Every structure is written in C-alpha cells, then in structure tokens.
Amino acid sequence: MSFSAVSVRRTSLRRHRFYESNRRYGLALALLIGVALVAALGFQQQTAAAAPSGLPEGFVCVAREGYLTLYVRPVDGQIAVEDGRSAVLWMSNPVGVEMDTLSDAWRGNIVSPFYFEYSDESRNVRIGNLATGGAAVSYEPIDRGARMHYSFSNLGIAFAMEYELEEDCLVVTIPWSSVVANATIEASLGRTTADDSVAKSILQGPKRARAQNLFLLTIRPLPFLGAALSTQENGYMLVPDGSGGLIRFKEDHPLYQGGFQQWIYGYDPASADVTYDIYREPVALPVFGMKIGDRAFLAVVEDGSCHAEILAMPSGVSTDLNWTTVQFWYRTTARLRTARQGQGIKVYDEKVIPGDRRVRYYFLNGDEADYVGMARAYRAYLMKHQGATKLPESDVLASSESAPVLIRLFCADYESGLLGRTLRPMTTFEQAKTVIEALRAAGVSEMVVALEGWNRGGAHADLPQRLPAERALGGDRALKDLAEYLRTLGIPLILQDDYLVARGSKGGFNPRTQASRTAFNDVIEFRPESAPDQVGLSTGYLISPRHVMDFASRDLPKIAELGAAGIALKSLGSVLSSDQNKDIDPRLTRDRSATVAKELLALAQSLFPIVGVRTGNAYTLGLIDLVYHMPMECTRDIYMDESVPFYQIATHGLLVPFDKDRNLSSNPERDFLRGIEYGVLPCFVLTAEPSWRLRYTPSSHLFSTNYEDWIDEVSRQFQAVSAVLGPVLDQFIVGHRMVARGVYETTYEDGTAIVVNYTADTYIDDRVEVPARWFAVIRGGNR
C-alpha cells in the first residue's frame, strides 16, 4: 500500500485537554541550569513593566522597540515577543503541550530555545539541547535585547544567542566569536582566544574539561517559535520551494516519513552528496513563515544563509506540532561512496565554516497575516536591505503599455564523433533578422531578444574561450549589425553567457588549478544531461570562485563593445558552489561565492543597461533587471498542499519576470494561465532551422523550436498577455487569493484585478464572468 493511500488519524497523540509544561521535566532542566538563577534574580530589578497575560513566570522585559516588546527568561533563554498592535504573544517554546509520548531527546528539544546536532567519536549524529548533561547558562544584557551564553563543557561545545529588537522585527544572532565547535581541535589549531568569555573559558580550560573527538554540526535557533497543533484553524507553514509552497495544518493526513528539509540555494556541488534530488524546484529565497489564525510571522535568513537548510515539519513527524525553522551548518558534509551501488556514508569536514548566523523575524496581524503579507514584508526587506528599487517608468523593459515577450534565439551547437566536431548553426545573425521580422509581421510588436550559443563554438563550446562570436553565424561584424538593427526597432538585444562553467582545458583554463573541488579534493566534473554518454564531448567544470572575476573582467568589456543592450548570466542566479580545494587556505565557502556573484553583477551593471539571470537566487536581487526561467510552482511532495506566487509577489515591480520556455512545456495551457495569474511574461526558445538538426548535439532536449511552427502561438500569447500585463508590469502585487475552486484573483496596487479560471466551466460572480480556461481583467471596478 502506498503512503499516499494511508490516512492516519493520530488520536493517540492528540488530546484536547492540555497540561502546563511537564513539571517534573522542568524541574530537572532547572537543576541543570541552576547557575543562571543568580543572574535572573539580579535582572528582575531591571524591569517594572507588567507581564502580559499568558506569559509564564520567570520572564522579564529586556527591550521595547516600536510596537514590539521582548521578554527573556534568563534561566534558560526562552523568549516571548509581544506585538502591541494586537496583544499577540509569540512564545519561543510551546506552553501546555503534553509530552508523555515523546522521547527524552524531543522533550528536551521542545523546552529548549535551540537544539543542535553533533558528531560523536564513532561519527554518529547526536542531538544536544538544554537537557544535555553539563549545560551551563548565563545571561548578559545588551542594547535592545539580551545575550544568552550556552556552554557544554562535557562536549567541548559552546555558543551564544543574541536577541535584539530592531524597528519592526526581532533579530536573532549566533555570533561567530562565541562558537566553539570542538575545543580539542580548535585549541590545537591555536584558537585559544575568543571575544566571547564563555568560549574562551572552554578553549583555555584543562584538557579534561574538553570533549573527546566531538564536532558541532548544526544549530537550529528557536525551532518551535509559534509551533502549533493541527487543531489550530486556518493555519499553514510557508516554504520557499519554487515559487512558494504551503503546508497546511491537518489533523487527518497521509503517513509522513519526513517533512520539508532543503538547502537554501540548492545543494552545494562540492559536497558530492549523491542523494540530492536534482529534479526538485529550486529554493531561491532564504525565507520561511507560519500562519496561525489571524497572526503570522515571516523569517528572513541573513548571515549564514548559504550554509543553511529550511525545515518545516508537519504534525505527525516526531511530534504533534507543526513547526518550522532554519538549520545552520558548521561543517561541510559529503557522501563517501563505498561501492558502485548504494548511497555510501555521510562524512563531515573537520574544518568549521566560520561566520555569524542571523535570522530576522517579522510579525504580521489581521489582513497581513497570510502568504501575501509575508511576501510584501520580504519585498520591503529587499528594498531596505538589498537595495532593490521599483522599476522606473523609463525602464527600457517596462516603459511601454504593452508587455514584451522574451524570444530566446538558439544560435548553434556542435555534434561530436570519432572524427571530431561538426558545428550545427541553427540561427545565424542574419537569419535572426528574418525571425524577428516574421514575428513583427504576425503582430508581436514588443519583444526582448536573447541569443544563446552566439559565442565561438556554440552553446556547449570550450568555455571560457567565448570570443570572437562564432564565425559560422557571421562573426563579430554581423553580431554588431544585428544589435544596431534591433536598436533602430527599439528591441533590446541580450547575450546569454556563463562565467561559472568551463568546458575542456582550452582558452587559458586549467582544471587542476582553476576548477572547484569537492570535500575529497576531487575536481568537480559534469556532462550535459541530454547527452551524458555522447562521444567527443568536453568535460564540464565549475570554475573556482577565485578565478571567476579573472575571466569576467577579461571578456565582459569586449562583449559590451559588440553593441548588445544586456547580458544574461545563466548559472549565476541558480548555482552556488564552494571550493573545497585542500591545497589552498582558506577554502572558499558558499558565502564567498555569493560575494563573487555580486561583484560580477556589479561589473555587468557598469557595462550594460540590462542585466539578467536565470532562476534568480536571492543574493542577485537588487542587482538585476530581469529573471528568466523564474520558478512557477512548488515541488509536489506528499506534505505540500499548494503552490503560491510568493516569489512573484515579493519581486513584481522590482524586476521584469519571464517564464520558462513555453514551447517546451508539458502543459502549455496551464503554464499560459499561470503566467497571467502570477504576472510573469511568456518566453519562447526558437531557431531558424528545424529542431531535428540538434538531435545529435548536447542540446537535443530542444525538441520543438522552429519559428515557423510557433509563430502563430507566440502571436496569440502576446496579443492575450501584452495588454493585460503591460500596464501593471511596474506595479506591486498587493493581493492574491482563491475565489473559488480552480479560480484565482491577483490584485495590483493600482486596483487592477486579474481573475484566472482553470476549470472547464464558466465562472460568474457579481463583478465578472470568466470563460472556462481563460481570464478576465477588472480595472477600476469595471470588467
């Protein structure tokens, strides 16, 4: 019987009468951390504020900022945040949850403001929390909050958690200066001093006070903030899977084997983790959230997001609670193969990943307490903290009342065989003019043209040798002529390029010294997915972040001289890799790779009016003008209930969004309607030559691209979409809801509402009539 067919009503775990926190267990915990009582007694005198209703004993007020008040319990570091707008009290740990059916480890987790994982002497993963033997807790007041120090001398592990109120949010930080991940190793490496006094006491203490060979692996801060039972009405967890996904609270549900646990920005190719599902939708944003009735929170992971996973566990996985958090990693993980078959064993690098870890929590109420309010809060965050700005009316991509369609012209690739390579030109620069004229004659008046495979050797050439433009397509002169031709028509020309990928060992690239390496010091290699066993293909490599800017600064200024209006950097917005080369110190972490990506985007901005990326990972936002192949749905896991346009709501009006290639879609009608619902513009990949010419190339996945086959469909979608989305292209999305089963409404800040009907029946309400599988627009109250 399949898991999806098994429905379990977990009445043995859910009881509708609750108790106060397990007194016997709480007493044991208090004895373990009794040293903190002295600090608590002294701190009680610092606040004269009356405690809010529902706040357990022992909490004291440590900060007020705007409408938020922060309370901390010094004996263990549990916190509570009061939202003065609605008198809502957010507790870091659930109150009144029955724990009779839980293991000792999970009892400790639920009453602890954190829990962590560490590896023991046998490389087994263990869980630590405040109930772990030897835990010592101390409290320290700081500006606008408090710092809690946690020391586990028997494990050789220590860290601090800082809680601060900052304007309209709570900021939780694990300072790197406070972290001792393994006292024995760090002391042997010479790290005998630290800014944090608790960390220093462990590092400088006697060996008998240090741990055996134990390693801190992860920390989960405030894992049960807002945790709720499934009896809560209208509740769900938001996860950043694809466009965004909701995991609703459910008393009756399938049998879950686990919950959502995915790396922010996807897996690290250097981890060599063969268990990662490459077919999942991307996790492009470092956010998570929860809605409980008429209140909600959004969490934004800041420092440490490149080495973190988002977790969302529905009721029935380990506990009866729905809870979501971030898991920060302090060690690089990798899979060590022990045989041709099987998953191998997971191993951990001894070197610690340095840096602060930080999460920012925004609290929402009333009408704002849903995924739309969360997305709007994240949009405000992008504008305040990442420099994102609203599209100006003069923007080259959004200055018209008609929305453009993205035409990706695939230019060339090669066949390989025993006698060498044979180039297959698919769209020469002169043929590109013919395709564009045919589209204009069919009524496609607004478009953006992007060229893929324009470079020397075509799409899968031996990068980073990309210049001059491929001679068989017309060379540099013909490309400049095409750029000038499009400029006279008011059509932007964008060249697609990739500075994270190299192929072969030509063009000044040396894989031994310039390619990224795994945790086992192996060079990261890959082959095209559509032709992995084809003879004569060059091996692909990931360029080490140390050398990315060398090639970019060498070639981008020369590409700008070709006259293109923009550059689209393919992998930069979708791939984030570390370089674990053991021969170079320090190793390059994913944080450093994200910094290099920003440096590359800044260089591109200085050379081109338009800069775009594929997918659009969060670290690129604020530095780009467009995203193509934008995530449009979530992964259909058994615990995922529905896709929502969180990404689109957060970014619409900040950049120009384009869909995946519609002519390669397995469900083109659905994708057409979803693009209208989400405010995302169509994209087509076309060629002048028939697509069968690509059947023996690495681009054989482009199975239907001839422009003559698609010109009518491109025109139809442009005519349908352009007048609808053009006027709102620079507008923020302020509302999204399901008005009926299979019928959705998206609202923009100027009052425009677009109603999309996915069903086979006409939808009618008092405002609008929407035909089956179509849409309608309401402007100013008029249909």
Side-chain angles (χ1 to χ4, degrees), residues 61-340:
C61 176
V62 297
R64 283 192 178 88
E65 193 76 22
Y67 49 80
L68 297 179
T69 304
L70 175 62
Y71 299 88
V72 174
R73 190 160 69 182
V75 295
D76 57 9
Q78 286 193 21
I79 70 165
V81 179
E82 183 183 19
D83 189 333
R85 297 169 299 179
S86 58
V88 168
L89 190 65
W90 290 92
M91 301 293 300
S92 64
N93 300 82
V95 177
V97 174
E98 184 178 348
M99 295 190 286
D100 290 345
T101 59
L102 298 179
S103 66
D104 290 342
W106 276 101
R107 289 186 185 187
N109 292 340
I110 285 180
V111 300
S112 179
F114 61 85
Y115 71 92
F116 61 90
E117 294 176 329
Y118 64 94
S119 175
D120 65 14
E121 301 93 327
S122 301
R123 300 281 177 168
N124 298 313
V125 177
R126 305 295 186 186
I127 292 178
N129 51 50
L130 276 184
T132 300
V137 184
S138 62
Y139 161 85
E140 177 186 352
I142 60 175
D143 186 33
R144 298 182 300 183
R147 178 186 293 116
M148 299 299 303
H149 299 265
Y150 302 100
S151 174
F152 302 84
S153 58
N154 62 322
L155 302 178
I157 292 172
F159 56 88
M161 291 178 62
E162 296 178 351
Y163 305 104
E164 297 177 275
L165 292 184
E166 186 177 303
E167 297 182 5
D168 56 349
C169 62
L170 168 70
V171 181
V172 180
T173 305
I174 305 174
W176 170 239
S177 62
S178 72
V179 175
V180 176
N182 181 283
T184 303
I185 287 180
E186 293 184 41
S188 67
L189 293 176
R191 188 188 174 200
T192 56
T193 60
D195 295 336
D196 187 280
S197 59
V198 177
K200 184 184 298 184
S201 67
I202 290 185
L203 287 172
Q204 296 180 338
K207 289 186 177 181
R208 65 177 180 273
R210 299 179 191 154
Q212 305 93 330
N213 191 24
L214 307 181
F215 300 92
L216 174 66
L217 299 177
T218 69
I219 298 178
R220 301 177 182 182
L222 302 185
F224 297 102
L225 177 67
L229 295 167
S230 288
T231 53
Q232 296 281 354
E233 296 182 0
N234 194 25
Y236 55 73
M237 294 177 286
L238 169 81
V239 294
D241 190 76
S243 63
L246 301 184
I247 304 174
R248 294 191 177 276
F249 298 172
K250 298 181 290 292
E251 288 192 84
D252 299 318
H253 54 72
L255 180 62
Y256 299 135
Q257 293 295 298
F260 180 88
Q261 182 171 353
Q262 297 298 324
W263 287 97
I264 300 173
Y265 310 133
Y267 83 112
D268 183 355
S271 72
D273 192 340
V274 298
T275 64
Y276 192 86
D277 183 0
I278 63 173
Y279 298 105
R280 293 193 62 88
E281 291 295 318
V283 178
L285 303 178
V287 300
F288 59 94
M290 177 175 285
K291 170 183 170 63
I292 310 169
D294 61 353
R295 61 192 179 109
F297 74 78
L298 172 75
V300 181
V301 186
E302 294 186 318
D303 298 350
S305 64
C306 299
H307 303 281
E309 294 174 293
I310 300 297
L311 280 67
M313 299 296 160
S315 172
V317 179
S318 301
T319 75
D320 230 19
L321 297 165
N322 298 277
W323 56 276
T324 181
T325 188
V326 59
Q327 176 167 273
F328 290 116
W329 280 86
Y330 285 86
R331 307 277 177 180
T332 298
T333 64
R335 288 277 176 180
L336 177 62
R337 281 190 178 274
T338 55
R340 287 182 176 272

Side-chain angles (χ1 to χ4, degrees), residues 58 89 113 121 142 152 259 440 468 486-487 493 498 555 615 633 647:
L89 190 65
E121 301 93 327
I142 60 175
F152 302 84
R440 295 180 69 230
L486 293 175
R487 186 180 299 108
L493 174 64
D498 201 333
D555 291 344
T615 304
E633 61 181 344
Y647 190 110

